[in-house]
Amino acid sequence: QAAQVLLQDVNPLIEGLQRPTLGRVRNFNVVSGEFIQILHTGSNHWVCISNIGCLPGKVHLYYSLFHDVISQEVEDQTNDLLGGNLVSLDFVPVQQQTNDSDCGVFAIAFAVSLALGTDPMHVTFDIHRMRLHLAACLKDKKLNMFPVF
């Protein structure tokens, strides 16, 4: 949540960025413009969704631990965020994590990239520097692009 609060400063025109816990209880405020949102999948995993560059009702899913099936929880939360108007939730091919614990860091990195106008599909993050970068950003209360190669 701290990262989503700081993302508002990166790009104040982006909607979403609501507390991830609101999605689990189906209490998101409906968005009408471009948004970025970090979601908890309900299975000990974090993802990023956004409709930036999408047609109405379509949403991109940035998922660092690829599975060929979108969890119903993520689809339901996305639909709630759109006020029941979700048409499709589509995987975007992005860099994959190399362990079972970096999903939150990747979800935040994807969100920062999107907020700065960079498509995460075209970015390769320096995995070994991501956590230190996030810690520094949170300490400084300012998010910036995660280290890339």
Side-chain angles (χ1 to χ4, degrees):
Q1 174 57 27
Q4 292 199 135
V5 169
L6 295 176
L7 273 168
Q8 292 279 213
D9 294 334
V10 172
N11 189 338
L13 301 177
I14 299 294
E15 291 187 53
L17 303 173
Q18 301 176 48
R19 289 188 166 278
T21 53
L22 295 175
R24 297 295 311 275
V25 294
R26 305 295 185 261
N27 200 20
F28 278 139
N29 293 322
V30 176
V31 296
S32 57
E34 289 187 326
F35 73 85
I36 300 168
Q37 182 66 48
I38 296 172
L39 300 176
H40 189 265
T41 66
S43 300
N44 207 20
H45 191 62
W46 296 93
V47 299
C48 178
I49 59 169
S50 176
N51 70 344
I52 294 174
C54 295
L55 295 172
K58 294 188 177 239
V59 176
H60 287 152
L61 172 62
Y62 302 88
Y63 200 168
S64 64
L65 190 61
F66 181 78
H67 295 286
D68 58 352
V69 176
I70 297 172
S71 79
Q72 190 63 50
E73 182 65 28
V74 170
E75 192 169 330
D76 290 347
Q77 288 183 58
T78 304
N79 194 44
D80 289 343
L81 192 63
L82 293 176
N85 294 317
L86 178 65
V87 173
S88 69
L89 183 58
D90 303 315
F91 282 107
V92 174
V94 291
Q95 183 179 1
Q96 299 295 285
Q97 64 192 71
T98 57
N99 60 31
D100 291 336
S101 60
D102 282 346
C103 57
V105 179
F106 269 94
I108 295 167
F110 295 148
V112 170
S113 181
L114 287 162
L116 291 171
T118 301
D119 186 341
M121 182 171 66
H122 304 296
V123 174
T124 301
F125 296 107
D126 182 345
I127 294 173
H128 301 292
R129 296 174 48 206
M130 290 177 76
R131 284 183 180 274
L132 288 174
H133 176 80
L134 178 57
C137 287
L138 293 173
K139 181 180 177 190
D140 295 341
K141 296 185 174 155
K142 182 175 181 180
L143 287 173
N144 49 51
M145 190 67 174
F146 277 64
V148 298
F149 287 110

